[in-house]
Amino acid sequence: MVHISVDTERCVGAGQCVLSAPDVFDQDDSGIVLVLEEPADEPGREAARQAGLICPSQAITVKES
Ligand code: SF4
């Protein structure tokens, strides 16, 4: 299991997370990140981890549990 949290104050709306994990992340009308759902399978979890790594503002935290 992973738990995903986002810091909307840090998010700069770059959209890299949505490109990396479109099932997990979306952006609101201002471009700020939204978490759609926690990934239920390993490919989804890996995509979420990648999104956390590539986010230019380090706004995504993926906690393993
Ligand atoms: S990649 Fe980071 S900065 Fe860009 S929209 Fe996602 S959370 Fe925000």
Side-chain angles (χ1 to χ4, degrees):
M1 287 286 292
V2 296
H3 177 69
I4 297 167
S5 57
V6 293
D7 183 343
T8 55
E9 296 291 316
R10 294 183 69 104
C11 175
V12 295
Q16 300 298 325
C17 54
V18 180
L19 293 173
S20 178
D23 293 338
V24 179
F25 300 103
D26 199 357
Q27 290 170 278
D28 69 13
D29 291 342
S30 301
I32 301 302
V33 65
L34 301 168
V35 178
L36 296 175
E37 61 181 8
E38 307 263 321
D41 57 13
E42 187 51 31
R45 289 190 281 273
E46 186 54 29
R49 291 184 196 105
Q50 285 299 317
L53 291 174
I54 65 175
C55 172
S57 59
Q58 300 176 331
I60 298 170
T61 302
V62 180
K63 283 189 181 160
E64 310 283 340
S65 59

